[in-house]
Amino acid sequence: MKIKFTLFIVIAFGINLSAQEKKKDTINANELSEVKVVTGTRTERVLSSLPLPMTIITSEAIVKSGVTRLNEILNEQTGIILIPDESGFEGIQMQGLDAAYTMILIDGVPLVGRSSGVLDLSRVSVGNIERIEIVKGASSALYGSEAMGGVINVITKKPKKDLFSGTLSYRYATFNTNDANANLLWKKKKFSANLFANYFSTDGYDLDKSTPQKTVESFYNYTIQPKLYYDFSENLKLTVSNRFFNQNMNNAAIIESENYKGDAKENEWNSQIKLEHRWNSKLYFEYELYATNYKNDSFLNDQNNVLYDRTYYNQWLFRPEVRTTWSIKNDKLTAGAGVNYESLDRTYFANDVKFNSQYVFVQYDYNPTEKWNVLAGFRYDNHSEYASQLSPKLAVNYKVNNDFSLKGSVGYGYKAPDFRQLFFDFTNPSVGYTVLGYNVAEDRLNQFESQGQLLSRTAGISFDKPLEAESAVNFNLGTFYKRNKLKLDINAFYNSISNLIDTRVVAQKTNGQNVFSYFNISQVFTYGVEFNSTYNFTKDFSMSFGYQYLTAKDKSVIDNFEDHQYIRNADLQTVQIKKSDYFGLFNRSKHTANLKVAYTIPVIKTDINLRVFYRSKYGLYDTNNNQVLDKYDTFVNGYFITNLAASKYITDKLMLQAGANNLFDFTDPSQISNISGRQLFARIQYNF
């Protein structure tokens, strides 16, 4: 039945070419320079005047691409790469920094539930998104921990007119993938409401047919997101928002040639209450109360249906916050204060652990002339588990003329030690090694010693002082140019990260296995340049090109290269390498690029959307045993991915769409688990 439905959509796409009313949207319906954004400053600003490196993804771009999940649309942006971790979840890499350093927000409030620092972004549907705002570079001055590398804010649609409107859509794709959306918006006088519902299911895919376990197992999930708005007056407005997410996935594993099966369940709940109060023309307040809970629970049974393993994860965040903006002529002073209460109960934690922190932030948006804009601010965080943090930031934009501006920023960011790095207590049952969080390591080592399980401790290791937060200094220098049909955006960046938290051996057990714990060890740096350009040949034909060059290296490797300068080659000969042969950090590509072509055929009211993406080679493992990635290691080869979507408007309200992601069916089963091969899709959407 589903196949017939897909064929119907594809056939219908090729007919009904008769001209009807003019289609509402065009390729260039809104110039990006006119888009107003809030994430970079927490106040509404025009994008082109912002002194920070920022990217906007509009709802129109999302629809025309044909994608359905947040991870898919982010992976199409310049300077953003989605990297799968050992759990299979895809995490954001921006400016060479890992996913743990990027904060993910929905309507300005954070998501929780990170696995090894990675949020599963596929759990966020794009069916009700108004726009996505991406701020690159240290943003701790406004958002605190987890924003050391940047912020991604997903902003959902809101009722705007006194009427009932909405969107209904259904998309069917390869691997029996189904995505159904309903987004309903209603407004009447002072009251308005928005209800979004999404259902997603897939059979998963398998890149290696020689094993019974799939690369991605089948799963289904649903999202329900109701939002209510009430305007007591023009100066007093209330928003109540909730989001519920539930997922059920087949859980399978092969352990010592034995097959194990079970289930993995995820549940997420977010609730936000916000009161906006404009005291007068100069003074504006926001009072916000936010709570969120993320749970997952998975188990594996053996072939006799006897429980073999169970893991669980239950995290809570409760955050009240108050913000105010004071308008002073052409300038704005923004300030805020809040409290975070966090708790996590999970497998391999001895107890339910709790964090609490208090914070204040201040930012001054200074406009001395029409040409100059200066953003200066800081945030102070007081935390129960690590040293207090002061995060300053300064950004400047100079408008040379109406077409050309220069911008630069310097900021401090930090990343707090997470629950895992402080409280983990895990011993591998089959191999026997142990990983201990910093705060529990000393007591557990003493316990191992009293039980006769330790052979020796590593000399010079102590847990006397607290584990420090990772910190970064971030520099950005760029330019924005827009004239006639051409638009250019260039940004050079540099990040210096100190106190990087990593594992090291703290003891050896009598079984020959090691005990690991977490320490502030490394200092790394990343630098590069990002380039984006768009050229509108006509109002119906545009082309854009994006490129990022990246270098990311460990400073301790460069400073102590003599410890890594000898390798064993393919002939098992010892060979000395040069410092210039050091490639850098793992899973980083020096070159990434994209080419996007958008073409509208007005006569048949059809949009063609072609996107081509390139990622150069990168290394995943040290294959020649010198503990670093050098050019003689084994690399994942560079590759291209091509996505194509065609949208046909039958009427102003009815759209049919067909396309292919990974059009040329690229796969690399042995190295890349998150590229499934060609995925064909068809979609029908009705706007009312």
Side-chain angles (χ1 to χ4, degrees), residues 37-45 50 141-143 278 282-287 321-328 330-338 359-367 373-380 391 393:
V37 296
V38 296
T39 308
T41 62
R42 293 234 182 172
T43 59
E44 198 172 75
R45 285 284 304 270
L50 198 68
L142 283 178
Y143 294 98
R278 187 174 299 280
K282 295 183 178 180
L283 195 59
Y284 171 78
F285 272 83
E286 287 182 310
Y287 311 92
E321 183 177 283
V322 58
R323 302 182 291 273
T324 182
T325 300
W326 182 26
S327 299
I328 312 167
N330 296 324
D331 307 328
K332 289 182 180 180
L333 178 66
T334 302
Y359 60 89
V360 296
F361 60 85
V362 178
Q363 178 182 261
Y364 189 53
D365 188 344
Y366 179 49
N367 298 275
N373 173 239
V374 180
L375 280 176
F378 69 89
R379 173 168 163 147
Y380 179 78
S391 308
K393 187 160 189 172

Side-chain angles (χ1 to χ4, degrees), residues 213-229:
Q213 185 180 355
K214 289 184 177 181
T215 306
V216 173
E217 297 290 335
S218 62
F219 66 92
Y220 68 87
N221 60 52
Y222 61 83
T223 302
I224 300 175
Q225 190 169 357
K227 299 180 72 175
L228 302 175
Y229 308 87

Side-chain angles (χ1 to χ4, degrees), residues 328-383:
I328 312 167
K329 293 184 179 179
N330 296 324
D331 307 328
K332 289 182 180 180
L333 178 66
T334 302
V339 180
N340 286 317
Y341 299 96
E342 296 180 77
S343 68
L344 177 60
D345 182 21
R346 65 166 294 183
T347 317
Y348 313 123
F349 278 21
N351 301 295
D352 182 0
V353 296
K354 294 178 172 64
F355 285 172
N356 65 80
S357 63
Q358 308 81 39
Y359 60 89
V360 296
F361 60 85
V362 178
Q363 178 182 261
Y364 189 53
D365 188 344
Y366 179 49
N367 298 275
T369 69
E370 289 187 1
K371 290 183 176 292
W372 287 97
N373 173 239
V374 180
L375 280 176
F378 69 89
R379 173 168 163 147
Y380 179 78
D381 287 82
N382 179 50
H383 199 278

Side-chain angles (χ1 to χ4, degrees), residues 422-461:
L422 294 177
F423 299 104
F424 205 46
D425 187 349
F426 170 75
T427 297
N428 183 284
S430 58
V431 180
Y433 68 86
T434 297
V435 182
L436 300 174
Y438 187 88
N439 286 13
V440 302
E442 184 65 33
D443 288 343
R444 289 290 282 141
L445 287 172
N446 291 337
Q447 185 178 3
F448 286 154
E449 201 163 33
S450 66
Q451 296 170 348
Q453 295 187 43
L454 285 192
L455 183 64
S456 62
R457 289 202 188 195
T458 303
I461 294 293

Side-chain angles (χ1 to χ4, degrees), residues 481-551:
Y481 176 79
K482 180 179 73 70
R483 188 172 185 181
N484 299 328
K485 299 179 178 182
L486 178 65
K487 182 164 50 186
L488 295 175
D489 192 351
I490 304 172
N491 183 65
F493 59 86
Y494 178 85
N495 294 281
S496 177
I497 301 100
S498 301
N499 293 325
L500 193 73
I501 298 174
D502 205 347
T503 56
R504 65 183 300 182
V505 177
V506 297
Q508 188 177 29
K509 301 172 77 173
T510 53
N511 63 1
Q513 295 296 320
N514 291 324
V515 180
F516 300 88
S517 190
Y518 297 91
F519 290 87
N520 299 111
I521 297 178
S522 304
Q523 181 175 351
V524 304
F525 60 88
T526 75
Y527 63 85
V529 63
E530 186 177 305
F531 171 87
N532 280 289
S533 65
T534 300
Y535 190 81
N536 298 315
F537 294 91
T538 68
K539 68 176 183 178
D540 299 320
F541 178 44
S542 68
M543 183 179 295
S544 65
F545 175 72
Y547 168 77
Q548 178 185 264
Y549 170 80
L550 172 70
T551 291

Side-chain angles (χ1 to χ4, degrees), residues 88 202-207 214-219 249 673-674:
T202 180
D203 288 347
Y205 60 89
D206 191 6
L207 298 178
K214 289 184 177 181
T215 306
V216 173
E217 297 290 335
S218 62
F219 66 92
M249 185 175 193
S673 63
N674 65 327

Side-chain angles (χ1 to χ4, degrees), residues 5 47 85 138 169 171 212 214 313 354 386 398 402 423 459 465 487 519 522 616 668:
F5 181 77
L47 176 63
D85 72 350
S169 70
R171 178 182 184 268
K214 289 184 177 181
Y313 186 109
K354 294 178 172 64
Y386 60 87
Y398 178 66
N402 290 332
F423 299 104
K465 60 180 183 178
K487 182 164 50 186
F519 290 87
S522 304
S616 68
D668 187 352

